[in-house]
């Protein structure tokens, strides 16, 4: 049985997690641990006391980020319009992945938290597949658009990221979504 953390230690841990989230979002998973400790107002030793290595810190940050994908799917499943559900899920997913460099790197790299990431990827693919089947069945998406097609398109768009605060992937997403419609009519 582990004894409860002292209040000051718990506060330090929370500050470290908050600052690590910001640094990894901005700089990716190779973001400076020293920068995280500095922003949290603690020593690097305090960081290592709470998180003995970088991967322990990353693994502590992943669950809420991965849960966001499930939340996107829940909202999409509740949407009565199949096209809005499908396109909205993709847009939210891309928004999350392109604004959080650390999350994108966690998904695209060989990471020790692979079990968590693999499970999240399977859930995300299952959500996407369900939405795509529904959109095809209602005629909102072309019948020949496969799961793999859509996954590859989402993957490619996620790599566009955000440049200078402008989501460069959004215009490309409009074109991609337009291409997935059976009539190729503009989505907006």
């Amino acid at each position: 049985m582990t004894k409860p953390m002292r209040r000051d230690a718990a506060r330090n841990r929370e500050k470290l997690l908050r600052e690590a989230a910001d640094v990894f979002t901005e700089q990716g998973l190779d973001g400076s641990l020293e920068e995280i400790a500095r922003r949290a107002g603690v020593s690097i030793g305090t960081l290592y006391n709470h998180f003995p290595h970088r991967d322990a810190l990353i693994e502590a940050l992943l669950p809420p980020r991965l849960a966001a994908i499930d939340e996107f799917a829940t909202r999409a499943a509740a949407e009565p319009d199949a096209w809005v559900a499908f396109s909205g899920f993709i847009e939210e997913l891309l928004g999350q992945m392109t604004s959080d460099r650390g999350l994108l790197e966690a998904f695209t790299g060989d990471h020790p938290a692979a079990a968590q990431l693999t499970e999240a990827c399977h859930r995300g693919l299952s959500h996407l597949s369900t939405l795509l089947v529904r959109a095809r069945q209602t005629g909102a998406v072309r019948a020949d658009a496969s799961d793999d097609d859509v996954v590859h398109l989402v993957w490619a768009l996620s790599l566009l990221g955000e440049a200078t605060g402008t989501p460069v992937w959004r215009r490309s997403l409009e074109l991609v979504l337009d291409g997935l419609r059976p009539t190729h009519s503009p989505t907006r």
Side-chain angles (χ1 to χ4, degrees), residues 36-56:
I36 293 167
R38 184 190 63 73
R39 288 186 187 188
V42 300
S43 71
I44 191 70
T46 299
L47 183 144
Y48 283 116
N49 282 337
H50 287 281
F51 307 100
H53 46 80
R54 177 181 302 274
D55 293 332

Side-chain angles (χ1 to χ4, degrees), residues 10 19 55-56 61 81 87 106 143 146 179:
E19 297 305 331
D55 293 332
L61 291 170
D81 183 291
S87 62
S146 72

Side-chain angles (χ1 to χ4, degrees), residues 141-156:
V141 170
R142 29 188 303 174
D144 65 338
S146 72
D147 289 13
D148 284 343
D149 293 333
V150 175
V151 167
H152 292 143
L153 291 168
V154 169
W155 186 258

Side-chain angles (χ1 to χ4, degrees), residues 53-128:
H53 46 80
R54 177 181 302 274
D55 293 332
L57 182 56
I58 293 167
E59 288 170 14
L61 291 170
L62 281 177
R65 287 172 154 76
L66 299 177
I69 296 167
D70 293 327
E71 291 171 21
F72 302 157
T74 299
R75 280 195 295 277
E79 170 57 51
D81 183 291
W83 175 256
V84 172
F86 171 72
S87 62
F89 177 77
I90 290 174
E91 187 170 359
E92 285 191 294
L93 181 63
L94 283 169
Q96 181 79 11
M97 291 177 69
T98 59
S99 66
D100 186 341
R101 188 171 161 194
L103 180 64
L104 181 61
E105 288 179 9
F107 274 119
T108 60
D110 182 22
H111 191 272
Q116 285 184 68
L117 293 169
T118 300
E119 183 181 314
C121 282
H122 287 303
R123 282 193 321 269
L125 290 173
S126 175
H127 297 315
L128 182 61

